[in-house]
Amino acid sequence: MNLIKRNESQMLGFPRMLFDDIFGRELFNWENTNFSSTRTTLPSVNIKENVDSYEVEVAAPGMDKNDFNVTLDGNLLTISSVKQQNEITEESNFTRREFSYQSFQRSFELPKDVVDDEHITARYENGLLLLTVPKKEEAKQKPPRMIEIS
């Protein structure tokens, strides 16, 4: 009898990290609603749900609020930027240059009949673009109530 030791970091001959990277992303987004025109990394996004709203946080340090476009088309919320890196002049004597500002677009489908699209707000502070997407009153979870027995 042969004992086969299973390597958790390998799956069908693929490194697990590569497998997670391929299948953990929005690979099957056939409409291509999330892209970076320069094939660079998209900004990271956190989405939190609380009782009254959804909160979207986009990590975009070094940008200005005027660099962003936020649009709502039906229930598709799109965040984009067309900021380009400043040109390097001869006076620029970099020994290392890692800052990179590239165009990007991220789109998120909002739940139908749940969000109050007339009251979405956005602000930019401390390198984060923060959007608040309020829920409609009828979509908010109601607190438990006591039902009297007659």
Side-chain angles (χ1 to χ4, degrees):
M1 172 166 34
N2 290 336
L3 292 178
I4 300 173
K5 182 177 179 184
R6 183 170 183 225
N7 184 351
E8 291 295 325
S9 67
Q10 296 265 330
M11 186 173 205
L12 301 173
F14 293 110
R16 178 131 182 107
M17 194 167 32
L18 177 62
F19 183 83
D20 290 342
D21 190 44
I22 290 171
F23 294 103
R25 293 181 185 240
E26 298 174 46
L27 178 67
F28 300 108
N29 184 354
W30 299 110
E31 296 173 357
N32 196 21
T33 55
N34 293 311
F35 69 88
S36 170
S37 61
T38 56
R39 300 185 196 274
T40 56
T41 305
L42 292 168
S44 298
V45 174
N46 292 332
I47 300 175
K48 297 184 278 189
E49 180 181 5
N50 58 43
V51 175
D52 297 321
S53 65
Y54 294 96
E55 294 178 13
V56 180
E57 302 172 327
V58 181
M63 299 183 85
D64 185 77
K65 71 178 186 174
N66 297 321
D67 294 328
F68 298 100
N69 292 316
V70 180
T71 59
L72 183 65
D73 184 10
N75 65 330
L76 191 66
L77 178 69
T78 302
I79 303 165
S80 62
S81 173
V82 291
K83 181 171 177 99
Q84 294 297 318
Q85 197 163 343
N86 294 336
E87 290 185 27
I88 300 174
T89 61
E90 287 187 23
E91 296 86 42
S92 303
N93 191 18
F94 290 99
T95 56
R96 185 179 188 113
R97 188 161 192 234
E98 295 182 352
F99 288 4
S100 177
Y101 304 104
Q102 305 294 334
S103 298
F104 71 88
Q105 177 176 310
R106 298 288 309 260
S107 295
F108 305 94
E109 190 169 341
L110 301 175
K112 290 183 180 183
D113 302 323
V114 173
V115 300
D116 180 3
D117 58 1
E118 296 296 321
H119 294 97
I120 296 174
T121 60
R123 67 186 191 283
Y124 182 76
E125 60 184 47
N126 299 325
L128 289 175
L129 177 63
L130 305 162
L131 283 87
T132 302
V133 182
K135 294 179 182 178
K136 290 182 178 178
E137 197 59 42
E138 57 271 14
K140 294 179 184 177
Q141 185 175 357
K142 307 282 190 261
R145 66 180 182 92
M146 184 62 82
I147 299 173
E148 197 169 313
I149 302 171
S150 55

